[in-house]
Amino acid sequence: MGLDYWQATAVSSTAYLAGVSTPRQQGKTEAAVARAIFDAAVEGRHVHYSVASQALASNTFRRAREQLQRNELLDDSIIRTTSALGRTRIEFRNGGRLTFGTRFGAQRATEVDLLIVDEASMFDASAYAAATVATATRQSAQILALGTAPYPDENSRRAAAGFARMRHLALRGTDATSWCEWSAAQFVVTDEDGPRLAAGADRDEAVAAANPAVPDRIRPEMIERERQFLPDNVFLVERLNIGDWRLLDDVEPAR
């Protein structure tokens, strides 16, 4: 569906817990919607797409319909669409269905084959637990979460606790997990004042390491504008994907 190589690779994992983390505006949602359509329209699976607000659910539903309309065969495979508040869905002739909802809706979703969690920096511990329950009854079920690193404050860490747990499990080598991350971690040092670019680090190389969409989707001049107007700590999270991944009960960063 016209995805960049990195997008197709990032959402191709079949691990039970699969996480993808990049800075914002890279094209994560486009990739996730393409994966959702493939699993529902081609594989006949029940896919639930979970977002942080009803407005985002409606917007993602619209983007899915636009992708489907660009493919005549897939568009013809639709038997019903519903856009009623709280019941937004697309149903396919092969029995597959693609439903959309907020985090609360995701918690109520049952018997899901693929649960996609977008904006996973707002995927907390209770939503993570509910997502696990929602997929537990399906063989070959999967949770695919996509988001940006959490900010280094307690509220942000709490909001992203489920996402951070997935990262922690994957980097620890837990079975049935995978993690794809683009960040400038190798260019950053951390001291008592928090993370910062290391002395002598090449900013352009740091940006390139963290942003797979540069320069095709994100123009270099936009990055320069962000460097000029964003505080350093915000630029680190939003553009270099350097945040605080510690679990809530951790003292040291989870690695």
Side-chain angles (χ1 to χ4, degrees):
M1 294 185 182
L3 298 181
D4 293 344
Y5 177 77
W6 79 265
Q7 291 175 300
T9 301
V11 298
S12 64
S13 173
T14 58
Y16 172 59
L17 291 181
V20 178
S21 181
T22 75
R24 299 188 189 280
Q25 301 172 323
Q26 304 295 314
K28 294 187 294 294
T29 295
E30 180 185 12
V33 168
R35 170 66 193 275
I37 289 172
F38 177 82
D39 276 44
V42 178
E43 298 293 320
R45 308 179 80 201
H46 177 195
V47 180
H48 184 79
Y49 201 110
S50 169
V51 292
S53 70
Q54 187 57 51
L56 285 173
S58 298
N59 182 60
T60 308
F61 169 76
R62 176 185 57 78
R63 294 175 70 164
R65 288 292 292 121
E66 289 173 352
Q67 283 201 27
L68 285 161
Q69 288 166 357
R70 290 196 290 268
N71 187 305
E72 185 176 349
L73 287 176
L74 292 179
D75 198 40
D76 287 344
S77 71
I78 298 172
I79 59 172
R80 185 179 300 109
T81 61
T82 305
S83 57
L85 187 65
R87 293 188 297 126
T88 309
R89 65 180 57 213
I90 304 171
E91 299 173 66
F92 299 91
R93 298 185 190 282
N94 62 1
R97 63 189 189 276
L98 174 52
T99 57
F100 303 83
T102 62
R103 292 289 186 266
F104 179 71
Q107 292 180 31
R108 295 181 299 174
T110 58
E111 297 186 340
V112 175
D113 296 309
L114 172 60
L115 176 61
I116 295 179
V117 181
D118 206 346
E119 297 290 340
S121 58
M122 292 178 282
F123 185 44
D124 64 17
S126 62
Y128 170 79
T132 304
V133 172
T135 53
T137 61
R138 294 283 196 174
Q139 189 172 10
S140 301
Q142 183 182 24
I143 300 170
L144 172 61
L146 308 94
T148 303
Y151 276 88
D153 62 83
E154 185 174 351
N155 287 339
S156 296
R157 290 177 58 209
R158 193 170 299 280
F163 197 35
R165 175 70 61 184
M166 292 178 64
R167 182 181 188 271
H168 175 72
L169 291 172
L171 297 188
R172 197 172 66 183
T174 306
D175 289 344
T177 64
S178 70
W179 187 264
C180 291
E181 179 174 319
W182 282 262
S183 76
Q186 67 268 40
F187 299 93
V188 171
V189 295
T190 301
D191 54 28
E192 63 272 12
D193 296 322
R196 58 180 173 79
L197 281 178
D202 188 301
R203 281 182 175 269
D204 291 335
E205 290 184 7
V207 167
N211 294 269
V214 173
D216 297 328
R217 295 171 182 266
I218 300 178
R219 300 188 308 276
E221 55 267 30
M222 189 191 86
I223 305 294
E224 288 301 321
R225 188 179 302 123
E226 290 178 337
R227 284 177 177 171
Q228 181 179 359
F229 292 108
L230 288 178
D232 288 345
N233 62 324
V234 175
F235 186 81
L236 279 172
V237 175
E238 297 289 350
R239 188 52 58 208
L240 300 184
N241 205 29
I242 301 297
D244 190 342
W245 289 104
R246 290 178 299 168
L247 303 182
L248 289 175
D249 54 354
D250 280 351
V251 175
E252 297 297 328
R255 298 188 185 277

